[in-house]
Amino acid sequence: METSYNGWHASPTLSNLDAIRFEVPTVPNRSFTTVRVAAPLFKYLIRRFDAEVDPLGGGVMDEWSYNYRKARAANALSCHASATAVDLDATQFPMGRTNMTKQQKAAVNRILSATRKQFRWGGTFSKGFEDEMHFELVKGTNPTTVKAAISVMGLHDDGRVFHPGDVSPQADPNKIRLLKKALAKVNLYPSRPVYNGKWTEALGNAYAAWLMRRPKEAKQTRLDALGKASGLF
């Protein structure tokens, strides 16, 4: 069986892979193809890259995913060949150049941290082969580790931490209480009116960031408790 250099099954025939093609609502006129099991993680990554690193919605169509080919910097199949990689803003961040600002790199690292280290970023490749557009499932990941990360992060299938309908003016007061408490932990409530009964991407990202700051041994227990108490996940 062929594999890409990260160990995932690769094939020149997409139907041989358990892959799915999807769009991300915040990124119009773009579609991506990745392995089905990791689609929520990729959607989360793409949403946050678009919001925090560089907008993806306009200009050149330079976001890529599945492509059966060899890696450009190794004598092995690319992770694109196994539908376990995406390229974002390829013309803005071409291979071999380091165009990201310090702030953009910091944003990327925050996103990678939140995804439970399931991704490897091309910006860390060896000198001369830097690939800031590129994100791949890191070697050693597998469907089990990906599912565990999605569970710990509390991701829905669309890559959001919770859905717009999970918190609304008609929501259970306990949900709102828990959300306000979570936001207070990252100094977003009540210092500014971030919650007004309407969903924003910032709320989901702030909530995810708060959860990721919990001690490792307590994260899953806390997620389970929050899920039972509030239905947020």
Side-chain angles (χ1 to χ4, degrees), residues 53-76:
V53 182
D54 202 58
L56 301 174
V60 180
M61 302 283 281
D62 57 352
E63 283 72 52
W64 306 321
S65 49
Y66 171 75
N67 182 13
Y68 183 80
R69 62 171 175 81
K70 282 194 172 182
R72 294 190 175 95
N75 186 26

Side-chain angles (χ1 to χ4, degrees), residues 104-117:
Q104 286 174 317
K105 290 177 181 178
V108 167
N109 286 323
R110 286 195 301 270
I111 297 168
L112 295 177
S113 177
T115 54
R116 306 289 294 173
K117 299 182 179 180

Side-chain angles (χ1 to χ4, degrees), residues 172-188:
D172 182 333
N174 193 45
K175 289 185 182 182
I176 297 175
R177 180 183 64 79
L178 286 170
L179 179 59
K180 287 180 176 179
K181 182 178 179 182
L183 293 171
K185 292 286 186 179
V186 289
N187 300 317
L188 291 178

Side-chain angles (χ1 to χ4, degrees), residues 105-140:
K105 290 177 181 178
V108 167
N109 286 323
R110 286 195 301 270
I111 297 168
L112 295 177
S113 177
T115 54
R116 306 289 294 173
K117 299 182 179 180
Q118 296 298 290
F119 288 113
R120 182 188 185 196
W121 176 42
T124 64
F125 289 0
S126 59
K127 187 173 178 60
F129 296 99
E130 299 94 335
D131 201 4
E132 293 177 331
M133 64 174 140
H134 182 84
F135 297 85
E136 65 190 33
L137 291 178
V138 70
K139 186 176 182 179

Side-chain angles (χ1 to χ4, degrees), residues 166-219:
D166 290 337
V167 179
S168 69
Q170 291 76 41
D172 182 333
N174 193 45
K175 289 185 182 182
I176 297 175
R177 180 183 64 79
L178 286 170
L179 179 59
K180 287 180 176 179
K181 182 178 179 182
L183 293 171
K185 292 286 186 179
V186 289
N187 300 317
L188 291 178
Y189 180 88
S191 60
R192 44 191 164 126
V194 294
Y195 180 74
N196 60 2
K198 295 181 180 180
W199 162 264
T200 67
E201 289 292 320
L203 288 180
N205 292 339
Y207 200 77
W210 174 70
L211 287 172
M212 290 303 103
R213 287 189 177 94
R214 302 299 88 200
K216 274 187 178 180
E217 62 276 9
K219 283 176 184 172

Side-chain angles (χ1 to χ4, degrees), residues 135-170:
F135 297 85
E136 65 190 33
L137 291 178
V138 70
K139 186 176 182 179
T141 57
N142 54 57
T144 299
T145 68
V146 167
K147 288 177 182 178
I150 290 170
S151 175
V152 171
M153 292 172 68
L155 291 184
H156 286 292
D157 287 344
D158 65 359
R160 287 177 174 171
V161 177
F162 51 86
H163 282 176
D166 290 337
V167 179
S168 69
Q170 291 76 41

